[in-house]
Amino acid sequence: MLGIIGSPVTHSLSPLMHNTAIEALGLDYVYVPFAVPSDGLIQAVQGLRTLGVTGFNVTIPFKTAIMPYLDKLSPEAELIGAVTTVNREGNSFVGYNTDGRGLLRSLAEDLDFAPQGADILILGAGGAARGAIGALCEAGAESITIANRTRTNAEELLARFKKLFPRVKLDLCDLVDLTSTDFLHGIDLVVNTTSVGMNNTSFAGLDVSLMKPSTRIYDMVYAPLETPLLAEAKARGLKYANGLGMLAAQGEVAFALWTGCKPPSGMMRDCLLAAVEVK
Ligand code: ATR
C-alpha cells in the first residue's frame, strides 16, 4: 500500500497519477489518500508503520511536523527542512524531499533552463520556496532574491540559506514594488512558489514588461493552467511553464523510490493535465 497524508487531501491529484502508473505497469500496489486531522500525526505515522505501508507522500500541514517521527532523513530533506515522501527501508521510515528534484527536472524539460550561474527571483517564502531555494542553490545558482508579502518570513529563509550556501548571493526585495528596471532586467528566472494565481489573482507589484526577452517564468500553480502571471509572460513573448511538470516529476521520483520502477514516460503528466482540464 502507498498513500498520502495531509489535511485536506481529497483534492489531491497524486492518487490519480500514481494509480494510473501502477495499473499501466501491472504492479500489485494501491495508492490511497488519508485525511489526517492536524492533531493526529503521531497516531497516523504509527498506524502506517503497523500496517506495513511501503511509502507515502506528505502534504500540508505535515511536511515539517513529520520530521521527528521518522527514523532517517535524506540530505535533501534535512537541507530543505521538509519531507514530501516517506519510504520504508527495512524497518525504517526514511524521509525525502522530492520537490526540489521535481522543480529542477521541470525547469530543464519545460523551459530548457539550467540554474548554473543564473540570477533568480523567488516569489514567496513558505515551504515550497524552501524546496526551490535549496535545490537552486545546490544546482549552482549565482544569485537568489526572495520577495515575500511578510518580510520577516523571507528574512528567516535568507538567514538559513546564507549559512548553508555562502557562495550564493542571497538577498531580499519588496514584493509590492518589483519595478526596478536594472534589477528585473538582470533576472534569468522567476519562480512563483505562492498560491497567488489560483483564483486568477496576480502580483500587482511585478512588472513583467521590464524583464529581458530571455527571462523564464515558472509558476508552481497549475490550476488554472495559465495564471495571470503566465498570461503576462505569454503576452510578452517570454518562455513560461506552470507547476504541472513539477508535480509529475516529483511523483515519478517518489514512485521509483517506492516501487523500483519508472512510470511510462509522460504518463503522470498526461493524466494530471487531463484532470486539470476537466475541472
Ligand atoms: P507552501 O508550503 O505551499 O509554500 P506556506 O508555507 O503556507 O505554503 O507558504 C505560502 C507562501 O505564499 C508564503 O510565502 C505566503 O506569504 P506570507 O509569508 O506573507 O504568508 C505566500 N502567500 C500566500 N497568499 C498570498 C497572497 N495573497 N499574496 C502574497 N503572498 C501570499
Side-chain angles (χ1 to χ4, degrees), residues 60 63 123-130 147-154 175 192-196 198 201-203 220:
I60 289 169
K63 288 184 187 179
L123 306 175
R130 282 163 93 108
N148 193 48
R149 179 178 59 182
T150 310
R151 198 176 169 91
T152 47
N153 292 343
L175 183 62
N192 174 33
T193 70
T194 76
S195 49
V196 173
M198 276 183 191
T201 43
S202 61
F203 295 97
M220 286 192 190

Side-chain angles (χ1 to χ4, degrees), residues 104-118:
L104 294 182
R105 224 198 257 184
S106 183
L107 289 173
E109 284 172 12
D110 300 324
L111 291 179
D112 194 20
F113 179 85
Q116 287 87 351

Side-chain angles (χ1 to χ4, degrees), residues 179-190:
T179 50
S180 156
T181 312
D182 282 352
F183 168 69
L184 287 181
H185 203 72
I187 293 296
D188 300 305
L189 171 74
V190 179

